[in-house]
Amino acid sequence: MDINPNCAYLYSDTPPDEAQLEALLKFLKKRHNIEKLEYFRDENIKGGFKMTAGDRLYDWTNEGRLKQFNAAVDKIIGKNDVLPLLKSTISDFTPATAGEEIGTVLTVGDGIAIVKGLESAEYGEILMFEGGSRGLIQDLREGEIGCILFDDGDDVLQGDLVLRTGRVAGMPVGEDYIGRVIDALGKPVDGQGDIIPDDIYPVEKHAPGIIERQPVSVPLETGILAIDSMFPIGRGQRELIIGDRQTGKTAIAVDTILNQKGKNVICIYVAIGQKSSSVAALVNTLSKYDAMDYTIVVNSTASDAAPLQYIAPYAGCALAEYFMDKGRDVLIVYDDLSKHAVAYRTLSLLLSRAPGREAYPGDIFYLHSRLLERSANLSDTKGGSITALPIVETQAGDISAYIPTNVISITDGQIFLETDLFYKGQRPAINVGKSVSRVGGDAQTEAVKNACKSLKLELSQYAEKLVFTQFSGDLDAETVKTLEFGKGLMRLLRQKQYNPVSRHRIVTLFTAALSKKFIGVGEDDIEAAASALCDAVEDELPAICKKIESKGWLNKKENAALGEFIRQYEI
């Protein structure tokens, strides 16, 4: 139906009588300078009427008046002396004549609706469509609004009315979400029944200010030798996992989740644009190792619409903030932000935004910065922490591409996985030269820091000499020794998946390795020799192992006892 701006439209089950019609026309002339009113019968309206005039909707149905009454009651909920206020509200309640601002759908398709009107609407506000679908404002232009649809959008048609809600997008949160698999809107998808939320948190929120934060100083150990020894991660840090496809990025994130068992850390895994079968396999793995007891999986698969893939990481972050506000420590994995950027690029192109580099919109940096900066280690009086492990996929190892450089500049370090190392059998395939943790030793316990302090230097020397000697035939004895030592260290850093290493075993391994204990041990025998040494230390020095786990440091006497035992141990 074509809307005439100089005409009002009345909908009710019965037509108005002459007196009612005269009163309505008088109201329209005064409020909107409209002198024409058309009547349409609507059998669904059993009491009262609805009327549209310009961009306003006047709802004087029974349901509309009840809605106004409920809104009036909601305003007093939570106040101390509620009974007198409630009595006053009931006795003084008069339905308002102020109409709701309405818009009209101009075009709809591909999860995008263009809406005319709603001049007072705000960016990020939720809209309600006539058919019941919801949308999120993502583009504000003169005279029209670009909106992404959360539902399938099949019931959104051209010409439909659109109402403002005055609310921003929210995510239901609560303790009952732990152990569940949900979609980007907070609905369970694991077949285990409904979830009753404790609260609603906004999916978009300002990051904590500098005054609310404190330095990152408490380790969040991954159980991965190469990371905990050289690129430690602290609670509240943002550490990027980056590498080509199928190089073990998700494996690192999963191992980190498994290593949080019994450490009072809530883990949230956000799957963005992945296959449903891949997410199901990951959930099965987490269940097998009892990690779902403290994990939430937010799943937005490749088959979901781009708006759901776009909103998923923000929804996961809202869940994390709920637990952080309760003083809990949270680990959140975004797997992966490359697909998230592609989803946002799709939305932006459908919204006719001007494309820039690699067809991404100009605000693509802000897309990820406003997400990752919400990770923080709050001061003790403010709450807990959120540690973020974003994942980004590279093409042919190119970390200078657009999205990788953006996320690298936002995060506090990166773990770079190299394809060549992966195919040589080095798992995890961490490139020591390109990986870094900008928090560094502040996120390590004293015992681990002392045991591993020269490890990165030794591996860097090994990598450098390996490059210069690969075409050389004659090598001096010192170079040969350096290459053999470095090769042994690299072999020691190989680690099977789902096999996290405890803190005291890391201290034992690298105290022994850096004192050249494994020189002369065959490459194929190092793993067994290292395991036997750690077992022997656990059997003979249990008090020292327990103190490393609980306190994270050893005194001089205990350090000397551990060093002497390793020196005396025969491999």
Side-chain angles (χ1 to χ4, degrees):
M1 179 180 71
D2 293 332
I3 303 297
N4 183 354
N6 297 316
C7 178
Y9 300 90
L10 181 69
Y11 305 87
S12 68
D13 189 30
T14 57
D17 56 30
E18 290 186 7
Q20 291 171 331
L21 185 61
E22 183 180 350
L24 289 171
L25 286 171
K26 184 178 180 181
F27 171 79
L28 290 169
K29 175 67 175 176
K30 181 179 180 181
R31 282 287 184 94
H32 299 281
N33 198 26
I34 292 176
E35 298 180 350
K36 185 178 179 181
L37 177 65
E38 290 189 16
Y39 167 74
F40 294 92
R41 187 182 181 193
D42 188 340
E43 297 179 353
N44 295 321
I45 299 177
K46 298 305 181 183
F49 63 87
K50 287 184 180 181
M51 183 173 66
T52 61
D55 64 348
R56 293 286 167 176
L57 170 66
Y58 296 93
D59 189 350
W60 274 65
T61 62
N62 292 339
E63 292 82 359
R65 282 177 281 190
L66 179 61
K67 180 180 176 182
Q68 290 186 31
F69 174 74
N70 288 335
V73 172
D74 286 343
K75 290 182 180 179
I76 66 172
I77 298 300
K79 298 190 176 181
N80 293 330
D81 199 6
V82 68
L83 193 57
L85 291 170
L86 188 59
K87 288 179 179 178
S88 174
T89 299
I90 294 173
S91 60
D92 299 339
F93 175 72
T94 302
T97 57
E100 293 183 80
E101 192 176 1
I102 60 170
T104 308
V105 177
L106 290 179
T107 61
V108 61
D110 298 316
I112 301 293
I114 304 299
V115 178
K116 180 182 179 182
L118 300 179
E119 294 183 358
S120 301
E122 300 178 357
Y123 182 87
E125 184 179 351
I126 294 290
L127 300 182
M128 186 65 70
F129 291 82
E130 190 174 340
S133 291
R134 293 168 296 167
L136 178 69
I137 297 176
Q138 282 290 291
D139 202 33
L140 297 174
R141 308 173 193 166
E142 187 174 356
E144 62 182 39
I145 290 169
C147 178
I148 61 175
L149 301 175
F150 288 142
D151 305 297
D152 53 27
D154 291 343
D155 56 356
V156 178
L157 302 174
Q158 185 178 6
D160 281 357
L161 296 181
V162 187
L163 295 177
R164 292 180 60 191
T165 64
R167 303 193 309 268
V168 296
M171 177 69 178
V173 297
E175 294 285 341
D176 290 345
Y177 280 90
I178 298 175
R180 302 297 298 273
V181 183
I182 59 176
D183 65 12
L185 301 178
K187 299 175 183 175
V189 293
D190 53 6
Q192 297 182 26
D194 294 334
I195 303 173
I196 300 176
D198 297 336
D199 202 348
I200 302 290
Y201 266 48
V203 296
E204 295 272 13
K205 188 178 179 182
H206 288 300
I210 191 69
I211 303 300
E212 298 172 277
R213 301 175 183 246
Q214 63 179 331
V216 174
S217 58
V218 179
L220 188 139
E221 289 156 332
T222 65
I224 299 171
L225 285 169
I227 296 176
D228 291 343
S229 60
M230 292 181 287
F231 317 108
I233 299 172
R235 299 190 182 190
Q237 188 175 344
R238 302 157 295 182
E239 184 79 1
L240 172 63
I241 302 173
I242 185 169
D244 286 0
R245 183 175 179 270
Q246 297 293 324
T247 52
K249 300 186 296 298
T250 302
I252 286 179
V254 172
D255 279 352
T256 304
I257 292 174
L258 297 183
N259 196 51
Q260 305 315 308
K261 185 175 182 178
K263 297 182 179 179
N264 197 29
V265 176
I266 301 296
C267 299
I268 300 174
Y269 178 86
V270 183
I272 310 166
Q274 298 186 36
K275 294 186 296 184
S276 297
S277 58
S278 300
V279 179
L282 180 138
V283 172
N284 287 336
T285 299
L286 295 177
S287 299
K288 178 181 177 182
Y289 291 94
D290 300 325
M292 283 303 292
D293 294 342
Y294 52 87
T295 302
I296 305 168
V297 176
V298 181
N299 184 24
S300 180
T301 63
S303 60
D304 286 340
L308 291 177
Q309 295 184 43
Y310 159 71
I311 207 72
Y314 299 102
C317 192
L319 267 170
E321 286 173 332
Y322 167 77
F323 292 106
M324 178 176 70
D325 289 346
K326 286 181 166 290
R328 310 281 292 276
D329 292 314
V330 184
L331 167 68
I332 185 165
V333 177
Y334 303 109
D335 191 5
D336 66 53
L337 293 187
S338 301
K339 293 185 177 69
H340 183 233
V342 169
Y344 186 65
R345 176 173 64 184
T346 302
L347 295 177
S348 298
L349 294 176
L350 289 170
L351 287 167
S352 302
R353 290 180 177 172
R357 179 178 169 187
E358 297 181 23
Y360 290 106
D363 62 344
I364 193 71
F365 179 89
Y366 183 54
L367 175 78
H368 292 147
S369 67
R370 73 176 189 262
L371 170 69
L372 294 173
E373 286 172 4
R374 290 161 71 178
S375 301
N377 183 28
L378 296 183
S379 59
D380 294 335
T381 58
K382 294 292 183 179
S385 68
I386 296 177
T387 307
L389 293 182
I391 296 175
V392 166
E393 184 178 302
T394 56
Q395 304 292 328
D398 183 14
I399 60 174
S400 63
Y402 192 22
I403 301 303
T405 51
N406 279 350
V407 184
I408 285 173
S409 64
I410 297 166
T411 50
D412 306 314
Q414 70 273 349
I415 297 166
F416 179 70
L417 302 178
E418 188 176 330
T419 306
D420 290 344
L421 285 174
F422 184 84
Y423 289 132
K424 289 177 182 177
Q426 186 69 30
R427 315 285 174 81
I430 297 175
N431 183 306
V432 176
K434 294 181 180 179
S435 301
V436 65
S437 171
R438 298 189 182 99
V439 174
D442 290 344
Q444 274 180 319
T445 61
E446 184 182 333
V448 174
K449 189 191 304 184
N450 291 336
C452 306
K453 57 186 175 184
S454 63
L455 176 60
K456 194 172 182 180
L457 177 62
E458 295 284 0
L459 289 174
S460 298
Q461 291 176 345
Y462 165 70
E464 184 179 348
K465 290 193 176 182
L466 189 64
V467 170
F468 284 104
T469 58
Q470 58 184 334
F471 302 112
S472 176
D474 297 327
L475 302 175
D476 61 88
E478 188 64 30
T479 300
V480 170
K481 186 182 294 186
T482 301
L483 291 175
E484 287 182 356
F485 180 54
K487 191 174 182 180
L489 288 177
M490 292 296 290
R491 181 63 184 85
L492 191 65
L493 290 173
R494 289 187 192 177
Q495 189 173 344
K496 295 177 182 177
Q497 195 176 0
Y498 315 136
N499 188 29
V501 179
S502 58
R503 184 187 297 170
H504 71 272
R505 292 179 81 93
I506 293 175
V507 173
T508 301
L509 281 176
F510 291 111
T511 300
L514 294 172
S515 63
K516 311 290 179 73
K517 187 68 178 180
F518 296 113
I519 284 185
V521 179
E523 185 178 354
D524 296 334
D525 300 325
I526 285 182
E527 183 179 355
S531 180
L533 171 61
C534 290
D535 291 342
V537 170
E538 289 174 349
D539 292 338
E540 299 296 329
L541 303 172
I544 288 179
C545 294
K546 186 176 180 180
K547 185 173 181 181
I548 293 174
E549 292 295 332
S550 60
K551 303 291 186 181
W553 58 273
L554 297 175
N555 57 36
K556 289 184 178 180
K557 183 178 179 181
E558 291 162 335
N559 259 321
L562 178 61
E564 181 63 21
F565 180 86
I566 291 173
R567 191 179 67 80
Q568 297 285 350
Y569 182 82
E570 293 186 7
I571 295 179

